[in-house]
Amino acid sequence: MIQGKFITLEGIDGAGKSTHLSWLESFLRSMGKNVVVTHEPGGTPLGEKLRALVLDSSLIMHPETEALLMFAARREHLDRLILPALDRGDWVISDRFTDASYAYQGGGRGIFANKLDELERWVHGTFQPDLTFYFDVTSELGRKRLHSRIDEIKSIDRFEKEEDEFFDRVRKTYLERAHKFPHRIQIIDSSQPLERVKQSIKNIISSIC
Ligand code: TYD
């Protein structure tokens, strides 16, 4: 019986997820929750190896191979980390989950949604996050923020080297999904000052506690 809550964070590259994630983690801890923080692709030893493959900018990969690897990593992640943590009653925050596959492999790479629906059904049936924060920024702002961090990040991965048009399609798909699942996916305007974003997160979390 699942008791903990599963929260996922989504957004295009440069949307500010990492900053919001560490703040959300400390906020939940301050409320006395046991929190497990993880990310996709990855989160398990095998998942991290798959992550290295899908992000390797020296590799050419068919979009369907990319989607299959994302879901393969997710299968491990659910089995070894997410579901056991929820069963213990912990709160799990994942930096990305299946919405990212619809946005990047679906919107970005053009894989039909029905194929992703099949993979989703195969890998996690009807299981879904309790809550998803989608941090919305334009592709221009995302790129600007990414470039301002370029010294911190060692190298540009296969996704970060994509053009603005790719991120426009990714963003459009995220927004479509947020409108399709309004109870689960909360859109946060991530171009706002940090304090405003924190306040929005706080209000939303309070409504599910
Ligand atoms: P990201 O959160 O951007 O990692 P970092 O902040 O360390 O750069 O995630 C890595 C990339 O993986 C990101 O560009 C989006 C991509 N991705 C997909 O394309 N599909 C997926 O299903 C997932 C989970 C991630």
Side-chain angles (χ1 to χ4, degrees):
M1 182 64 199
I2 290 172
Q3 302 152 353
K5 296 236 185 264
F6 182 37
I7 302 178
T8 60
L9 272 56
E10 300 283 356
I12 64 168
D13 292 72
K17 272 182 303 103
S18 316
T19 311
H20 306 322
L21 189 149
S22 48
W23 183 80
L24 173 61
E25 178 187 5
S26 15
F27 177 59
L28 288 174
R29 287 193 198 283
S30 75
M31 292 173 77
K33 312 285 183 203
N34 280 335
V35 184
V36 174
V37 173
T38 186
H39 65 242
E40 289 206 347
T44 65
L46 175 56
E48 291 303 320
K49 288 191 188 247
L50 294 172
R51 178 186 177 90
L53 285 175
V54 285
L55 297 189
D56 185 341
S57 57
S58 69
L59 291 179
I60 295 168
M61 197 176 287
H62 189 284
E64 291 187 354
T65 308
E66 188 179 278
L68 289 164
L69 290 176
M70 294 294 180
F71 276 97
R74 184 162 299 132
R75 184 69 192 83
E76 271 315 287
H77 198 200
L78 280 159
D79 190 49
R80 295 192 168 263
L81 191 142
I82 299 173
L83 296 177
L86 292 173
D87 278 341
R88 290 195 302 270
D90 292 348
W91 284 50
V92 178
I93 311 175
S94 184
D95 186 344
R96 302 192 185 282
F97 191 63
T98 300
D99 294 306
S101 300
Y102 281 93
Y104 282 78
Q105 282 66 54
R109 304 276 194 230
I111 295 187
F112 289 133
N114 63 340
K115 289 202 167 173
L116 299 170
D117 291 343
E118 274 182 47
L119 291 175
E120 180 184 48
R121 211 173 309 121
W122 192 15
V123 167
H124 54 96
T126 56
F127 173 82
Q128 289 293 339
D130 294 290
L131 174 65
T132 298
F133 288 106
Y134 164 61
F135 295 104
D136 188 46
V137 290
T138 60
S139 56
E140 291 79 14
L141 183 55
R143 180 166 298 278
K144 218 166 111 193
R145 286 187 177 165
L146 207 59
H147 282 184
S148 70
R149 285 176 47 217
I150 225 87
D151 296 337
E152 296 168 39
I153 42 186
K154 295 157 289 305
S155 57
I156 296 281
D157 67 39
R158 282 181 58 249
F159 296 98
E160 289 162 348
K161 68 179 202 190
E162 291 294 338
E163 303 292 329
D164 280 2
E165 293 70 42
F166 175 87
F167 291 105
D168 287 339
R169 294 195 299 276
V170 172
R171 179 184 184 216
K172 183 168 171 277
T173 311
Y174 269 131
L175 287 168
E176 283 167 4
R177 283 184 70 75
H179 290 117
K180 189 169 171 192
F181 305 108
H183 298 297
R184 173 173 67 83
I185 307 180
Q186 299 290 326
I187 303 175
I188 309 262
D189 175 358
S190 197
S191 65
Q192 302 179 99
L194 205 51
E195 284 312 311
R196 297 263 292 274
V197 172
K198 286 181 188 171
Q199 194 54 53
S200 308
I201 296 176
K202 225 172 175 170
N203 294 344
I204 292 165
I205 291 288
S206 308
S207 72
I208 65 158
C209 281

